mmCIF file with all atom_site columns, all heavy atoms in Angstrom:
data_model
loop_
_atom_site.group_PDB
_atom_site.id
_atom_site.type_symbol
_atom_site.label_atom_id
_atom_site.label_alt_id
_atom_site.label_comp_id
_atom_site.label_asym_id
_atom_site.label_entity_id
_atom_site.label_seq_id
_atom_site.pdbx_PDB_ins_code
_atom_site.Cartn_x
_atom_site.Cartn_y
_atom_site.Cartn_z
_atom_site.occupancy
_atom_site.B_iso_or_equiv
_atom_site.pdbx_formal_charge
_atom_site.auth_seq_id
_atom_site.auth_comp_id
_atom_site.auth_asym_id
_atom_site.auth_atom_id
_atom_site.pdbx_PDB_model_num
ATOM 1   N N   . LEU A 1 11 ? 36.910 45.265 -2.990 1.00 97.00 ? 53 LEU A N   1
ATOM 2   C CA  . LEU A 1 11 ? 35.897 46.153 -2.447 1.00 97.00 ? 53 LEU A CA  1
ATOM 3   C C   . LEU A 1 11 ? 36.582 47.455 -2.049 1.00 97.00 ? 53 LEU A C   1
ATOM 4   O O   . LEU A 1 11 ? 37.595 47.424 -1.334 1.00 97.00 ? 53 LEU A O   1
ATOM 5   C CB  . LEU A 1 11 ? 35.237 45.486 -1.229 1.00 97.00 ? 53 LEU A CB  1
ATOM 6   C CG  . LEU A 1 11 ? 34.152 46.228 -0.482 1.00 97.00 ? 53 LEU A CG  1
ATOM 7   C CD1 . LEU A 1 11 ? 32.972 46.512 -1.407 1.00 97.00 ? 53 LEU A CD1 1
ATOM 8   C CD2 . LEU A 1 11 ? 33.704 45.415 0.731  1.00 97.00 ? 53 LEU A CD2 1
ATOM 9   N N   . SER A 1 12 ? 36.026 48.562 -2.502 1.00 98.00 ? 54 SER A N   1
ATOM 10  C CA  . SER A 1 12 ? 36.601 49.862 -2.182 1.00 98.00 ? 54 SER A CA  1
ATOM 11  C C   . SER A 1 12 ? 35.522 50.724 -1.549 1.00 98.00 ? 54 SER A C   1
ATOM 12  O O   . SER A 1 12 ? 34.444 50.899 -2.141 1.00 98.00 ? 54 SER A O   1
ATOM 13  C CB  . SER A 1 12 ? 37.149 50.515 -3.450 1.00 98.00 ? 54 SER A CB  1
ATOM 14  O OG  . SER A 1 12 ? 37.779 51.746 -3.141 1.00 98.00 ? 54 SER A OG  1
ATOM 15  N N   . ILE A 1 13 ? 35.784 51.250 -0.358 1.00 97.00 ? 55 ILE A N   1
ATOM 16  C CA  . ILE A 1 13 ? 34.788 52.047 0.348  1.00 97.00 ? 55 ILE A CA  1
ATOM 17  C C   . ILE A 1 13 ? 35.449 53.267 0.966  1.00 97.00 ? 55 ILE A C   1
ATOM 18  O O   . ILE A 1 13 ? 36.689 53.339 1.087  1.00 97.00 ? 55 ILE A O   1
ATOM 19  C CB  . ILE A 1 13 ? 34.086 51.226 1.454  1.00 97.00 ? 55 ILE A CB  1
ATOM 20  C CG1 . ILE A 1 13 ? 35.116 50.724 2.479  1.00 97.00 ? 55 ILE A CG1 1
ATOM 21  C CG2 . ILE A 1 13 ? 33.300 50.069 0.855  1.00 97.00 ? 55 ILE A CG2 1
ATOM 22  C CD1 . ILE A 1 13 ? 34.498 50.031 3.673  1.00 97.00 ? 55 ILE A CD1 1
ATOM 23  N N   . GLN A 1 14 ? 34.616 54.202 1.396  1.00 98.00 ? 56 GLN A N   1
ATOM 24  C CA  . GLN A 1 14 ? 35.108 55.388 2.083  1.00 98.00 ? 56 GLN A CA  1
ATOM 25  C C   . GLN A 1 14 ? 35.222 55.090 3.577  1.00 98.00 ? 56 GLN A C   1
ATOM 26  O O   . GLN A 1 14 ? 34.472 54.276 4.137  1.00 98.00 ? 56 GLN A O   1
ATOM 27  C CB  . GLN A 1 14 ? 34.134 56.555 1.881  1.00 98.00 ? 56 GLN A CB  1
ATOM 28  C CG  . GLN A 1 14 ? 34.003 57.017 0.441  1.00 98.00 ? 56 GLN A CG  1
ATOM 29  C CD  . GLN A 1 14 ? 35.249 57.748 -0.047 1.00 98.00 ? 56 GLN A CD  1
ATOM 30  O OE1 . GLN A 1 14 ? 35.903 58.443 0.716  1.00 98.00 ? 56 GLN A OE1 1
ATOM 31  N NE2 . GLN A 1 14 ? 35.565 57.596 -1.325 1.00 98.00 ? 56 GLN A NE2 1
ATOM 32  N N   . GLU A 1 15 ? 36.168 55.748 4.198  1.00 98.00 ? 57 GLU A N   1
ATOM 33  C CA  . GLU A 1 15 ? 36.331 55.609 5.648  1.00 98.00 ? 57 GLU A CA  1
ATOM 34  C C   . GLU A 1 15 ? 35.013 55.942 6.346  1.00 98.00 ? 57 GLU A C   1
ATOM 35  O O   . GLU A 1 15 ? 34.332 56.908 5.980  1.00 98.00 ? 57 GLU A O   1
ATOM 36  C CB  . GLU A 1 15 ? 37.439 56.546 6.124  1.00 98.00 ? 57 GLU A CB  1
ATOM 37  C CG  . GLU A 1 15 ? 38.061 56.165 7.441  1.00 98.00 ? 57 GLU A CG  1
ATOM 38  C CD  . GLU A 1 15 ? 39.341 56.933 7.700  1.00 98.00 ? 57 GLU A CD  1
ATOM 39  O OE1 . GLU A 1 15 ? 39.452 58.087 7.244  1.00 98.00 ? 57 GLU A OE1 1
ATOM 40  O OE2 . GLU A 1 15 ? 40.235 56.373 8.351  1.00 98.00 ? 57 GLU A OE2 1
ATOM 41  N N   . GLY A 1 16 ? 34.652 55.145 7.336  1.00 98.00 ? 58 GLY A N   1
ATOM 42  C CA  . GLY A 1 16 ? 33.404 55.351 8.060  1.00 98.00 ? 58 GLY A CA  1
ATOM 43  C C   . GLY A 1 16 ? 32.263 54.491 7.564  1.00 98.00 ? 58 GLY A C   1
ATOM 44  O O   . GLY A 1 16 ? 31.298 54.259 8.296  1.00 98.00 ? 58 GLY A O   1
ATOM 45  N N   . GLU A 1 17 ? 32.375 54.016 6.332  1.00 98.00 ? 59 GLU A N   1
ATOM 46  C CA  . GLU A 1 17 ? 31.331 53.132 5.796  1.00 98.00 ? 59 GLU A CA  1
ATOM 47  C C   . GLU A 1 17 ? 31.526 51.717 6.328  1.00 98.00 ? 59 GLU A C   1
ATOM 48  O O   . GLU A 1 17 ? 32.565 51.364 6.879  1.00 98.00 ? 59 GLU A O   1
ATOM 49  C CB  . GLU A 1 17 ? 31.378 53.130 4.263  1.00 98.00 ? 59 GLU A CB  1
ATOM 50  C CG  . GLU A 1 17 ? 31.009 54.463 3.638  1.00 98.00 ? 59 GLU A CG  1
ATOM 51  C CD  . GLU A 1 17 ? 31.051 54.430 2.123  1.00 98.00 ? 59 GLU A CD  1
ATOM 52  O OE1 . GLU A 1 17 ? 31.731 53.552 1.550  1.00 98.00 ? 59 GLU A OE1 1
ATOM 53  O OE2 . GLU A 1 17 ? 30.406 55.295 1.500  1.00 98.00 ? 59 GLU A OE2 1
ATOM 54  N N   . ASN A 1 18 ? 30.498 50.895 6.121  1.00 98.00 ? 60 ASN A N   1
ATOM 55  C CA  . ASN A 1 18 ? 30.578 49.481 6.495  1.00 98.00 ? 60 ASN A CA  1
ATOM 56  C C   . ASN A 1 18 ? 31.033 48.654 5.297  1.00 98.00 ? 60 ASN A C   1
ATOM 57  O O   . ASN A 1 18 ? 30.708 48.981 4.146  1.00 98.00 ? 60 ASN A O   1
ATOM 58  C CB  . ASN A 1 18 ? 29.222 48.974 6.970  1.00 98.00 ? 60 ASN A CB  1
ATOM 59  C CG  . ASN A 1 18 ? 28.750 49.657 8.236  1.00 98.00 ? 60 ASN A CG  1
ATOM 60  O OD1 . ASN A 1 18 ? 29.541 50.258 8.959  1.00 98.00 ? 60 ASN A OD1 1
ATOM 61  N ND2 . ASN A 1 18 ? 27.459 49.569 8.495  1.00 98.00 ? 60 ASN A ND2 1
ATOM 62  N N   . ALA A 1 19 ? 31.757 47.593 5.577  1.00 98.00 ? 61 ALA A N   1
ATOM 63  C CA  . ALA A 1 19 ? 32.215 46.680 4.527  1.00 98.00 ? 61 ALA A CA  1
ATOM 64  C C   . ALA A 1 19 ? 31.677 45.286 4.811  1.00 98.00 ? 61 ALA A C   1
ATOM 65  O O   . ALA A 1 19 ? 31.794 44.797 5.944  1.00 98.00 ? 61 ALA A O   1
ATOM 66  C CB  . ALA A 1 19 ? 33.738 46.637 4.481  1.00 98.00 ? 61 ALA A CB  1
ATOM 67  N N   . THR A 1 20 ? 31.083 44.676 3.802  1.00 98.00 ? 62 THR A N   1
ATOM 68  C CA  . THR A 1 20 ? 30.560 43.315 3.942  1.00 98.00 ? 62 THR A CA  1
ATOM 69  C C   . THR A 1 20 ? 31.227 42.396 2.936  1.00 98.00 ? 62 THR A C   1
ATOM 70  O O   . THR A 1 20 ? 31.276 42.697 1.741  1.00 98.00 ? 62 THR A O   1
ATOM 71  C CB  . THR A 1 20 ? 29.034 43.284 3.730  1.00 98.00 ? 62 THR A CB  1
ATOM 72  O OG1 . THR A 1 20 ? 28.414 44.105 4.713  1.00 98.00 ? 62 THR A OG1 1
ATOM 73  C CG2 . THR A 1 20 ? 28.515 41.855 3.880  1.00 98.00 ? 62 THR A CG2 1
ATOM 74  N N   . MET A 1 21 ? 31.732 41.278 3.440  1.00 98.00 ? 63 MET A N   1
ATOM 75  C CA  . MET A 1 21 ? 32.355 40.265 2.591  1.00 98.00 ? 63 MET A CA  1
ATOM 76  C C   . MET A 1 21 ? 31.647 38.941 2.824  1.00 98.00 ? 63 MET A C   1
ATOM 77  O O   . MET A 1 21 ? 31.218 38.661 3.946  1.00 98.00 ? 63 MET A O   1
ATOM 78  C CB  . MET A 1 21 ? 33.836 40.100 2.952  1.00 98.00 ? 63 MET A CB  1
ATOM 79  C CG  . MET A 1 21 ? 34.666 41.297 2.584  1.00 98.00 ? 63 MET A CG  1
ATOM 80  S SD  . MET A 1 21 ? 36.186 41.342 3.533  1.00 98.00 ? 63 MET A SD  1
ATOM 81  C CE  . MET A 1 21 ? 35.778 42.614 4.701  1.00 98.00 ? 63 MET A CE  1
ATOM 82  N N   . ASN A 1 22 ? 31.539 38.157 1.782  1.00 98.00 ? 64 ASN A N   1
ATOM 83  C CA  . ASN A 1 22 ? 30.833 36.895 1.872  1.00 98.00 ? 64 ASN A CA  1
ATOM 84  C C   . ASN A 1 22 ? 31.750 35.723 1.576  1.00 98.00 ? 64 ASN A C   1
ATOM 85  O O   . ASN A 1 22 ? 32.772 35.868 0.892  1.00 98.00 ? 64 ASN A O   1
ATOM 86  C CB  . ASN A 1 22 ? 29.660 36.881 0.885  1.00 98.00 ? 64 ASN A CB  1
ATOM 87  C CG  . ASN A 1 22 ? 28.697 38.000 1.148  1.00 98.00 ? 64 ASN A CG  1
ATOM 88  O OD1 . ASN A 1 22 ? 28.075 38.080 2.201  1.00 98.00 ? 64 ASN A OD1 1
ATOM 89  N ND2 . ASN A 1 22 ? 28.581 38.927 0.187  1.00 98.00 ? 64 ASN A ND2 1
ATOM 90  N N   . CYS A 1 23 ? 31.368 34.582 2.104  1.00 97.00 ? 65 CYS A N   1
ATOM 91  C CA  . CYS A 1 23 ? 32.157 33.368 1.929  1.00 97.00 ? 65 CYS A CA  1
ATOM 92  C C   . CYS A 1 23 ? 31.208 32.206 1.698  1.00 97.00 ? 65 CYS A C   1
ATOM 93  O O   . CYS A 1 23 ? 30.218 32.058 2.426  1.00 97.00 ? 65 CYS A O   1
ATOM 94  C CB  . CYS A 1 23 ? 32.985 33.130 3.188  1.00 97.00 ? 65 CYS A CB  1
ATOM 95  S SG  . CYS A 1 23 ? 33.815 31.524 3.265  1.00 97.00 ? 65 CYS A SG  1
ATOM 96  N N   . SER A 1 24 ? 31.486 31.401 0.700  1.00 96.00 ? 66 SER A N   1
ATOM 97  C CA  . SER A 1 24 ? 30.705 30.178 0.481  1.00 96.00 ? 66 SER A CA  1
ATOM 98  C C   . SER A 1 24 ? 31.646 28.985 0.527  1.00 96.00 ? 66 SER A C   1
ATOM 99  O O   . SER A 1 24 ? 32.838 29.101 0.215  1.00 96.00 ? 66 SER A O   1
ATOM 100 C CB  . SER A 1 24 ? 29.970 30.239 -0.863 1.00 96.00 ? 66 SER A CB  1
ATOM 101 O OG  . SER A 1 24 ? 30.904 30.384 -1.924 1.00 96.00 ? 66 SER A OG  1
ATOM 102 N N   . TYR A 1 25 ? 31.101 27.847 0.937  1.00 95.00 ? 67 TYR A N   1
ATOM 103 C CA  . TYR A 1 25 ? 31.900 26.625 1.021  1.00 95.00 ? 67 TYR A CA  1
ATOM 104 C C   . TYR A 1 25 ? 31.029 25.444 0.638  1.00 95.00 ? 67 TYR A C   1
ATOM 105 O O   . TYR A 1 25 ? 29.826 25.605 0.406  1.00 95.00 ? 67 TYR A O   1
ATOM 106 C CB  . TYR A 1 25 ? 32.486 26.453 2.429  1.00 95.00 ? 67 TYR A CB  1
ATOM 107 C CG  . TYR A 1 25 ? 31.456 26.404 3.535  1.00 95.00 ? 67 TYR A CG  1
ATOM 108 C CD1 . TYR A 1 25 ? 30.948 25.187 3.998  1.00 95.00 ? 67 TYR A CD1 1
ATOM 109 C CD2 . TYR A 1 25 ? 30.991 27.584 4.120  1.00 95.00 ? 67 TYR A CD2 1
ATOM 110 C CE1 . TYR A 1 25 ? 30.003 25.146 5.002  1.00 95.00 ? 67 TYR A CE1 1
ATOM 111 C CE2 . TYR A 1 25 ? 30.041 27.545 5.123  1.00 95.00 ? 67 TYR A CE2 1
ATOM 112 C CZ  . TYR A 1 25 ? 29.552 26.332 5.571  1.00 95.00 ? 67 TYR A CZ  1
ATOM 113 O OH  . TYR A 1 25 ? 28.613 26.299 6.556  1.00 95.00 ? 67 TYR A OH  1
#
Side-chain angles (χ1 to χ4, degrees):
Chain A
L53 179 61
S54 183
I55 60 174
Q56 296 289 326
E57 202 167 31
E59 294 181 339
N60 296 342
T62 299
M63 291 159 256
N64 301 297
C65 170
S66 60
Y67 58 94

